[in-house]
Amino acid sequence: MEGFESIDLQEFSKRDWSNLEPNTPFAPHRLEFFILLIITKGSVRHKVDLKEFLVQENECLIISPNQIHALNTESDYHGHFFLFTKEYLLNYFTPNTYFHISQLFNYHLFNPVYQLDECMMDYAKRVATEYVYSPYVLKNQIISSLFSIILYKLNNRNLLIQSHQNSKQGFDLFEKFKNMIEDDYPHSRNVNDYADKMNISYKHLNEISKRFTNRTAKEFLDDYIILEIKRKLSSTSLSVKEICFTTGFDEPTNFIKYFKKATGITPLEFRSINK
């Protein structure tokens, strides 16, 4: 099924990855797709963007494209990986559905660990079974229909949180700001540039950022840049100088000062701790 894959966690963890050393799934690596990690038995501590999350039985961990993650080999756990791309969502869901589902993967706003009810666990089992054994001609449509129910029910928690916080207004602008930062941060660390591209005032963009993150637009932008630097330091072999230039800095001295001001340590010190 193009753009979607279901993987049994036990089978995956027991594969022989020695030929990929040191670039195994158990080392920090960047994702280019979406992941739902669903635990059916046991528990696992899973690192995403250098933060550790405990995922227990009947829980789900959501991981988004561009995030850094690493599998844990020490826990005894069972469950499923559902891997899927943006193209898969656009092919099998309407634009409006995609908009709502994509909010589920906004890791800037929501806790990525979700409790799953009995119905969602049942649908997850059905998706995994249909992926392997389905004899139907419309197998892909059946899987996407079952999978959409899981995504909708997961996103319902976020919609309830937004409704409770009365913060739905302006969410589309915040999403636009977030997406622009992810695409354009190497080219600008000036919030005014983003406000201009969005055709809103700096003040309005600041209000939007504070409403959803309790941080100013500048703080949110700087936090993302620091996170991206950390991702590159922990998951690539790029030198500090190379990371400096790929993240939009003109020269390493300013880059090191910027990073140390935010973290209290130098990029090399951070790498030695987290590599």
Side-chain angles (χ1 to χ4, degrees):
M1 183 174 184
E2 188 173 354
F4 181 93
E5 187 174 3
S6 173
I7 298 174
D8 180 87
L9 286 175
Q10 276 281 300
E11 183 273 329
F12 188 79
S13 64
K14 291 178 179 178
R15 291 181 189 175
D16 181 9
W17 300 101
S18 57
N19 62 320
L20 293 179
E21 293 285 358
N23 301 313
T24 73
F26 309 103
H29 59 283
R30 186 185 292 267
L31 295 176
E32 297 180 355
F33 41 80
F34 300 93
I35 286 183
L36 258 61
L37 183 157
I38 296 177
I39 300 299
T40 58
K41 182 181 178 182
S43 65
V44 62
R45 293 190 179 275
H46 197 93
K47 277 193 174 182
V48 181
D49 280 341
L50 307 173
K51 296 180 181 178
E52 189 172 77
F53 297 94
L54 174 63
V55 193
Q56 303 185 84
E57 188 171 316
N58 297 337
E59 288 186 340
C60 170
L61 175 67
I62 290 175
I63 314 173
S64 304
N66 288 323
Q67 290 195 289
I68 301 295
H69 87 130
L71 295 178
N72 189 326
T73 59
E74 298 176 359
S75 301
D76 182 22
Y77 53 92
H78 298 254
H80 314 288
F81 261 144
F82 295 140
L83 288 63
F84 53 102
T85 63
K86 178 180 178 180
E87 290 70 29
Y88 163 77
L89 293 176
L90 292 173
N91 284 336
Y92 286 94
F93 301 95
T94 66
N96 187 53
T97 299
Y98 170 75
F99 172 75
H100 286 293
I101 289 175
S102 65
Q103 296 178 30
L104 182 62
F105 294 87
N106 193 327
Y107 55 87
H108 301 286
L109 302 183
F110 303 116
N111 186 326
V113 179
Y114 290 71
Q115 180 73 41
L116 304 185
D117 60 29
E118 185 177 345
C119 172
M120 296 162 78
M121 293 300 296
D122 180 57
Y123 276 110
K125 181 179 179 180
R126 293 187 188 189
V127 168
T129 301
E130 291 289 341
Y131 184 83
V132 177
Y133 300 110
S134 178
Y136 301 109
V137 174
L138 297 178
K139 170 182 176 177
N140 294 352
Q141 287 75 10
I142 292 170
I143 291 174
S144 63
S145 296
L146 293 169
F147 191 51
S148 68
I149 295 172
I150 300 172
L151 295 177
Y152 273 133
K153 296 197 73 171
L154 283 171
N155 196 45
N156 187 62
R157 185 198 74 169
N158 295 347
L159 294 175
L160 290 173
I161 291 173
Q162 287 183 9
S163 177
H164 177 69
Q165 295 174 341
N166 195 26
S167 61
K168 289 179 69 175
Q169 186 177 3
F171 185 82
D172 55 340
L173 285 175
F174 175 76
E175 279 278 292
K176 187 174 182 179
F177 178 46
K178 173 190 75 74
N179 292 337
M180 287 179 64
I181 286 176
E182 292 178 353
D183 292 336
D184 298 342
Y185 80 90
H187 309 296
S188 177
R189 298 192 297 278
N190 188 334
V191 174
N192 279 305
D193 291 341
Y194 296 91
D196 290 343
K197 289 180 181 178
M198 295 171 65
N199 294 315
I200 61 176
S201 67
Y202 179 98
K203 181 180 179 181
H204 190 189
L205 182 54
N206 225 28
E207 290 171 351
I208 292 293
S209 181
K210 286 181 178 178
R211 183 183 306 166
F212 291 100
T213 69
N214 293 318
R215 288 172 285 176
T216 66
K218 175 61 174 171
E219 289 169 339
F220 181 74
L221 173 59
D222 284 337
D223 285 349
Y224 181 81
I225 294 170
I226 291 296
L227 173 60
E228 189 60 28
I229 294 169
K230 288 179 176 179
R231 288 169 171 172
K232 292 179 186 297
L233 288 168
S234 62
S235 66
T236 75
S237 58
L238 293 173
S239 69
V240 169
K241 187 176 182 179
E242 288 172 319
I243 294 173
C244 161
F245 295 133
T246 60
T247 51
F249 290 82
D250 293 331
E251 56 96 20
T253 302
N254 290 337
F255 170 77
I256 293 170
K257 286 181 179 178
Y258 180 86
F259 187 83
K260 189 171 183 179
K261 181 179 179 181
T263 65
I265 57 177
T266 68
L268 281 178
E269 289 170 335
F270 178 86
R271 171 169 272 173
S272 68
I273 295 169
N274 294 279
K275 189 67 173 175

